[in-house]
Amino acid sequence: MSNGSNRILDEFAKLMTDAAGAAQGVRREVETAFRGQAERILNSMDIVQREEFEAARDMALKAREENAKLSARIDALEARIADLTASADKSAAASGSRARK
């Protein structure tokens, strides 16, 4: 009789294994259908994809860095122009006072 109960347990275990495999198959099909439907909905809403967003973000960061470099360069050039203008004004003032003497 113990041989009969082992056989019943083996059959039950096989049935549970088959049921688990079938459940996984159904789960994969449901996930695939859900993803497809979600993708269709998102595409109809004109939502930006992650790759496009990250590419735009990288471009913005690069532009911001370039803007900071150009701003620093402009500040340096403006300071140089101010120094040259001040030197020219001093030279003109000095030559004007020498001409009056």
Side-chain angles (χ1 to χ4, degrees):
M1 191 82 164
S2 66
N3 209 8
S5 69
N6 280 344
R7 190 171 186 201
I8 291 173
L9 290 176
D10 288 343
E11 289 295 322
F12 183 71
K14 183 179 177 191
L15 180 66
M16 288 296 115
T17 302
D18 292 345
Q24 284 182 340
V26 169
R27 180 177 150 241
R28 281 192 294 269
E29 287 182 33
V30 169
E31 283 179 353
T32 301
F34 179 77
R35 281 197 176 125
Q37 186 65 24
E39 197 170 302
R40 281 191 291 279
I41 290 170
L42 291 175
N43 286 338
S44 70
M45 295 173 68
D46 290 332
I47 293 178
V48 177
Q49 292 183 357
R50 183 175 221 35
E51 294 84 16
E52 293 173 2
F53 172 78
E54 294 205 5
R57 185 189 65 180
D58 291 342
M59 287 175 27
L61 289 173
K62 186 176 179 181
R64 186 176 290 158
E65 289 172 5
E66 185 68 23
N67 192 14
K69 287 178 189 176
L70 291 174
S71 180
R73 187 172 174 195
I74 289 171
D75 291 342
L77 289 172
E78 287 176 343
R80 187 171 177 200
I81 289 171
D83 289 344
L84 291 174
T85 303
S87 295
D89 289 344
K90 287 180 185 177
S91 295
S95 63
S97 68
R98 277 188 248 147
R100 283 188 235 149
K101 289 184 182 182

